[in-house]
Amino acid sequence: MKFSPNQALWLALFITAGSPIAGKFTVDYMSPSFVLIFGTLTTLLIYAPWLTKNKLWGKLFDKEIRSRLSVMGLFGTALPFLLLLIALRWTTPSNSAILNQAESVYSIIFAMIFLGEKPVFKQIIGTLMIVSGAVLILAVNGYTPMWKGDLLVLATVWMFQVSHIAAKKLPADISVDFITAARGFYGFIWSAVIALIGLPLGMDITFKISGPSFISLLYIAVFVYTLRNKFWYEAIRNMPLAKATAVILSYPVFTYVISLAVGFDEIRLYQICGLILALSGAYMVTLVKKA
């Protein structure tokens, strides 16, 4: 089924909203490395018949694009999702989601430098509102265990922009299905390498099976690493990256509601104020006709 870029973007947004919740359900039962390896391998297995049918396995190693595909696997999946899962051991899903709004800042900077996209005044004001929401949360959580997770999130989300720019710079004739499959392939390789390097440093590849954690693992593998990525590439290949980033980063409102419903969060005034600031900024950016 074919979706327009805007439809694909909103589908990616709704799937993303559930990602921090699913991640929180897994971290008490499964190591982040296991989640990454399982998730990326699942994407690869889903696309394996398609890659075989269309004789595209060799294209994964095409010297013209393999470096960009590898960057997507490393900075789009392996490193950031590993760190975000680790962060969820300290902070809440809603905090993680709200602080992901900082990606809008990186998006504008990176898009200016590497893609030639120039932000307009409304975009800059909206971004400052997003930053204000993040600063509010950090100020309240300062010097607590939750703060450690919050800072890790902020130190991580720039990696997604590196991956998105690599995807934007791929030849126009490459399909979103191939891009999604390639990200899964290289994400799996990098996740396995990082896990092996991390073993002597105390990282593990362990898991325990429970109902919620296994369902969450499947959600991450099938919906987040596969379908969400497919929808996201359909969007950013057909619209300015900074604008698409601002739209999808409005997902924390849904994450917050779900997090409250399952008991991972309680109603906190500072979170609501930070959320309102961040979402208002993201909405202002979506009103920009050209980014």
Side-chain angles (χ1 to χ4, degrees):
M1 184 176 180
K2 185 69 174 178
F3 296 99
S4 70
N6 281 326
Q7 290 172 328
L9 181 58
W10 280 98
L11 286 169
L13 183 153
F14 288 125
I15 294 174
T16 302
S19 179
I21 307 297
K24 189 68 172 178
F25 270 117
T26 64
V27 291
D28 289 336
Y29 295 90
M30 305 172 184
S31 67
S33 291
F34 174 79
V35 175
L36 277 165
I37 291 172
F38 182 92
T40 51
L41 180 59
T42 299
T43 298
L44 185 57
L45 291 176
I46 289 173
Y47 272 102
W50 181 83
L51 289 168
T52 301
K53 178 182 177 181
N54 292 280
K55 301 179 180 179
L56 290 173
W57 284 101
K59 195 173 182 65
L60 292 169
F61 306 97
D62 187 331
K63 64 181 181 179
E64 299 296 327
I65 59 173
R66 65 190 178 194
S67 61
R68 292 174 186 170
L69 300 178
S70 181
V71 164
M72 289 162 50
L74 177 60
F75 289 103
T77 299
L79 273 179
F81 279 110
L82 176 71
L83 296 174
L84 290 175
L85 284 169
I86 292 173
L88 283 171
R89 289 178 169 171
W90 294 302
T91 193
T92 65
S94 56
N95 265 25
S96 175
I98 296 169
L99 292 170
N100 263 267
Q101 302 276 329
E103 191 181 341
S104 285
V105 181
Y106 297 121
S107 176
I108 288 180
I109 296 172
F110 283 32
M112 285 176 60
I113 296 173
F114 299 107
L115 300 176
E117 297 177 6
K118 297 181 179 180
V120 298
F121 180 73
K122 188 179 290 185
Q123 210 173 350
I124 295 173
I125 295 300
T127 300
L128 289 175
M129 293 172 68
I130 292 169
V131 172
S132 298
V135 169
L136 175 61
I137 289 175
L138 288 176
V140 173
N141 288 336
Y143 304 106
T144 68
M146 191 179 291
W147 197 50
K148 187 189 301 184
D150 294 341
L151 289 176
L152 186 55
V153 172
L154 285 179
T156 297
V157 293
W158 64 269
M159 298 180 190
F160 290 121
Q161 287 302 307
V162 175
S163 172
H164 301 337
I165 289 171
K168 290 276 280 186
K169 288 184 171 292
L170 288 171
D173 61 342
I174 295 182
S175 71
V176 295
D177 284 304
F178 179 78
I179 297 173
T180 305
R183 180 168 164 178
F185 175 78
Y186 281 99
F188 171 69
I189 291 175
W190 279 115
S191 296
V193 169
I194 291 171
L196 289 174
I197 293 174
L199 285 176
L201 303 176
M203 292 175 58
D204 56 6
I205 311 175
T206 58
F207 66 95
K208 293 186 293 184
I209 295 297
S210 73
S213 66
F214 184 67
I215 292 172
S216 296
L217 182 64
L218 290 179
Y219 180 85
I220 290 171
V222 177
F223 286 89
V224 179
Y225 288 4
T226 307
L227 288 176
R228 193 278 304 271
N229 286 347
K230 174 180 169 66
F231 294 142
W232 174 245
Y233 289 128
E234 184 66 47
I236 68 168
R237 299 272 286 177
N238 294 283
M239 66 172 62
L241 177 58
K243 184 172 181 178
T245 298
V247 173
I248 199 169
L249 288 180
S250 64
Y251 77 87
V253 66
F254 303 103
T255 301
Y256 187 48
V257 171
I258 299 171
S259 190
L260 289 174
V262 299
F264 283 149
D265 260 296
E266 57 188 49
I267 296 177
R268 299 181 176 95
L269 181 60
Y270 77 89
Q271 279 185 323
I272 295 174
C273 292
L275 183 62
I276 291 172
L277 273 171
L279 289 180
S280 297
Y283 176 70
M284 181 175 290
V285 175
T286 67
L287 298 179
V288 176
K289 298 300 181 183
K290 290 185 179 180

